[in-house]
Coordinates of all heavy atoms in Angstrom, one line a residue:
R875 N -14.5 -0.4 -36.8 CA -13.9 -1.3 -35.8 C -13.1 -0.4 -34.9 O -12.3 0.4 -35.3 CB -13.0 -2.3 -36.5 CG -12.4 -3.3 -35.5 CD -11.7 -4.4 -36.2 NE -11.3 -5.4 -35.2 CZ -11.9 -6.6 -35.1 NH1 -12.8 -7.0 -35.9 NH2 -11.5 -7.4 -34.1
A876 N -13.3 -0.5 -33.5 CA -12.7 0.3 -32.5 C -12.6 -0.4 -31.2 O -13.2 -1.5 -31.0 CB -13.4 1.6 -32.4
H877 N -11.9 0.2 -30.2 CA -12.0 -0.3 -28.9 C -13.3 0.1 -28.2 O -14.0 -0.8 -27.7 CB -10.7 0.2 -28.1 CG -10.8 -0.1 -26.6 ND1 -10.7 -1.4 -26.2 CD2 -11.0 0.7 -25.6 CE1 -10.8 -1.4 -24.9 NE2 -11.0 -0.2 -24.5
L878 N -13.5 1.3 -28.2 CA -14.8 1.9 -27.6 C -15.4 2.7 -28.7 O -14.8 3.6 -29.2 CB -14.5 2.7 -26.4 CG -15.7 3.6 -25.9 CD1 -16.9 2.7 -25.4 CD2 -15.3 4.5 -24.8
L879 N -16.7 2.4 -29.0 CA -17.4 3.1 -30.0 C -18.6 3.7 -29.3 O -19.4 3.0 -28.7 CB -17.9 2.3 -31.2 CG -18.8 3.0 -32.1 CD1 -18.1 4.1 -32.9 CD2 -19.4 2.0 -33.1
T880 N -18.8 5.0 -29.4 CA -19.9 5.7 -28.8 C -20.7 6.4 -30.0 O -20.1 7.2 -30.7 CB -19.5 6.8 -27.8 OG1 -18.7 6.2 -26.8 CG2 -20.7 7.5 -27.2
V881 N -21.9 6.0 -30.2 CA -22.7 6.6 -31.3 C -23.7 7.6 -30.6 O -24.5 7.2 -29.8 CB -23.6 5.4 -32.0 CG1 -24.4 6.0 -33.0 CG2 -22.6 4.4 -32.5
G882 N -23.5 8.9 -31.0 CA -24.2 9.9 -30.4 C -25.7 9.9 -30.8 O -26.1 9.3 -31.8
E883 N -26.5 10.7 -30.1 CA -27.9 10.8 -30.4 C -28.2 11.2 -31.8 O -29.2 10.8 -32.4 CB -28.6 11.7 -29.4 CG -28.7 11.1 -28.0 CD -29.6 12.0 -27.1 OE1 -30.6 12.6 -27.6 OE2 -29.3 12.0 -25.9
T884 N -27.4 12.1 -32.4 CA -27.7 12.6 -33.7 C -27.0 11.8 -34.8 O -27.1 12.1 -36.0 CB -27.2 14.1 -33.8 OG1 -25.8 14.1 -33.6 CG2 -27.9 15.0 -32.8
A885 N -26.3 10.7 -34.4 CA -25.5 10.0 -35.3 C -26.3 8.9 -36.0 O -27.2 8.3 -35.5 CB -24.3 9.4 -34.6
T886 N -25.8 8.5 -37.2 CA -26.3 7.4 -38.0 C -25.1 6.6 -38.5 O -24.2 7.2 -39.2 CB -27.2 7.8 -39.2 OG1 -28.3 8.6 -38.6 CG2 -27.7 6.7 -39.9
V887 N -25.1 5.3 -38.3 CA -24.1 4.4 -38.8 C -24.8 3.4 -39.7 O -25.7 2.7 -39.2 CB -23.3 3.7 -37.7 CG1 -22.3 2.8 -38.3 CG2 -22.6 4.8 -36.8
K888 N -24.4 3.3 -40.9 CA -24.9 2.3 -41.8 C -23.8 1.3 -42.2 O -23.0 1.6 -43.1 CB -25.5 2.9 -43.1 CG -26.7 3.7 -42.8 CD -27.3 4.4 -44.0 CE -28.5 5.2 -43.7 NZ -29.1 5.8 -44.9
G889 N -23.7 0.2 -41.5 CA -22.6 -0.8 -41.7 C -22.4 -1.6 -40.5 O -23.1 -1.4 -39.5
E890 N -21.4 -2.5 -40.5 CA -21.2 -3.4 -39.4 C -20.3 -2.6 -38.4 O -19.4 -1.9 -38.7 CB -20.5 -4.6 -39.8 CG -20.2 -5.6 -38.7 CD -19.6 -6.9 -39.1 OE1 -18.9 -7.0 -40.1 OE2 -19.9 -8.0 -38.5
V891 N -20.6 -2.8 -37.1 CA -19.9 -2.2 -36.0 C -19.2 -3.3 -35.2 O -19.9 -4.3 -34.8 CB -20.8 -1.4 -35.1 CG1 -20.2 -1.0 -33.8 CG2 -21.3 -0.2 -35.9
I892 N -17.9 -3.2 -35.0 CA -17.2 -4.2 -34.2 C -16.4 -3.4 -33.2 O -15.5 -2.6 -33.5 CB -16.3 -5.1 -35.0 CG1 -17.1 -5.8 -36.1 CG2 -15.5 -6.1 -34.1 CD1 -16.3 -6.6 -37.1
A893 N -16.6 -3.7 -31.9 CA -15.9 -3.0 -30.8 C -15.9 -3.7 -29.5 O -16.9 -4.5 -29.3 CB -16.4 -1.6 -30.6
D894 N -14.9 -3.5 -28.7 CA -15.0 -4.1 -27.3 C -16.2 -3.6 -26.6 O -16.9 -4.4 -26.0 CB -13.7 -3.8 -26.6 CG -12.5 -4.5 -27.2 OD1 -12.6 -5.5 -27.9 OD2 -11.3 -4.0 -27.0
D895 N -16.3 -2.3 -26.6 CA -17.4 -1.6 -25.9 C -18.2 -0.8 -27.0 O -17.6 -0.1 -27.7 CB -16.9 -0.6 -24.9 CG -16.8 -1.2 -23.5 OD1 -17.6 -2.1 -23.2 OD2 -16.1 -0.6 -22.7
V896 N -19.5 -1.0 -27.0 CA -20.4 -0.2 -27.9 C -21.5 0.4 -27.1 O -22.2 -0.2 -26.4 CB -21.0 -1.1 -29.0 CG1 -21.8 -0.3 -30.0 CG2 -20.0 -1.9 -29.7
V897 N -21.5 1.8 -27.1 CA -22.6 2.5 -26.5 C -23.4 3.2 -27.6 O -22.8 4.0 -28.3 CB -22.0 3.6 -25.5 CG1 -23.2 4.3 -24.9 CG2 -21.2 2.9 -24.4
I898 N -24.7 2.8 -27.7 CA -25.5 3.4 -28.8 C -26.5 4.3 -28.2 O -27.4 3.9 -27.5 CB -26.2 2.2 -29.6 CG1 -25.1 1.2 -30.1 CG2 -27.0 2.7 -30.7 CD1 -25.7 -0.1 -30.6
N899 N -26.4 5.6 -28.6 CA -27.4 6.6 -28.3 C -28.2 7.0 -29.5 O -29.3 7.5 -29.4 CB -26.7 7.9 -27.7 CG -25.9 7.6 -26.5 OD1 -26.4 7.0 -25.6 ND2 -24.7 8.0 -26.5
G900 N -27.7 6.7 -30.7 CA -28.3 7.1 -32.0 C -28.7 5.9 -32.8 O -29.2 4.9 -32.2
R901 N -28.5 6.0 -34.1 CA -29.1 5.0 -35.0 C -28.0 4.1 -35.7 O -27.0 4.7 -36.2 CB -29.9 5.7 -36.1 CG -30.6 4.8 -37.1 CD -31.5 5.5 -38.0 NE -32.2 4.6 -38.8 CZ -32.3 4.7 -40.2 NH1 -31.7 5.8 -40.7 NH2 -32.9 3.9 -40.9
I902 N -28.2 2.8 -35.7 CA -27.3 1.9 -36.4 C -28.1 1.0 -37.3 O -29.1 0.4 -36.8 CB -26.4 1.1 -35.5 CG1 -25.4 1.9 -34.7 CG2 -25.7 0.0 -36.2 CD1 -24.5 1.1 -33.8
V903 N -27.8 1.0 -38.6 CA -28.4 0.0 -39.5 C -27.3 -0.9 -39.9 O -26.4 -0.6 -40.7 CB -29.0 0.8 -40.7 CG1 -29.6 -0.2 -41.7 CG2 -30.0 1.8 -40.3
G904 N -27.3 -2.1 -39.3 CA -26.3 -3.1 -39.6 C -26.0 -3.9 -38.4 O -26.5 -3.7 -37.3
R905 N -25.1 -4.9 -38.5 CA -24.8 -5.8 -37.4 C -23.9 -5.1 -36.4 O -23.0 -4.3 -36.8 CB -24.0 -7.0 -38.0 CG -23.6 -8.0 -36.9 CD -22.9 -9.2 -37.5 NE -23.8 -10.0 -38.3 CZ -23.4 -10.5 -39.5 NH1 -22.3 -10.2 -40.0 NH2 -24.3 -11.1 -40.2
V906 N -24.1 -5.4 -35.2 CA -23.3 -4.9 -34.0 C -22.7 -6.1 -33.4 O -23.3 -7.0 -33.0 CB -24.2 -4.1 -33.0 CG1 -23.4 -3.7 -31.9 CG2 -24.9 -3.0 -33.7
R907 N -21.3 -6.0 -33.2 CA -20.6 -7.1 -32.6 C -19.8 -6.4 -31.5 O -19.0 -5.5 -31.8 CB -19.6 -7.8 -33.5 CG -20.3 -8.4 -34.7 CD -19.4 -9.0 -35.7 NE -18.8 -10.2 -35.3 CZ -19.3 -11.4 -35.4 NH1 -20.5 -11.5 -36.0 NH2 -18.7 -12.5 -35.0

Side-chain angles (χ1 to χ4, degrees):
R875 185 171 187 113
H877 171 67
L878 166 65
L879 173 67
T880 305
V881 178
E883 287 188 33
T884 61
T886 299
V887 176
K888 295 181 181 181
E890 184 175 30
V891 166
I892 302 173
D894 294 336
D895 264 337
V896 183
V897 179
I898 305 169
N899 301 306
R901 183 170 183 235
I902 293 183
V903 179
R905 180 181 294 133
V906 177
R907 303 172 74 84

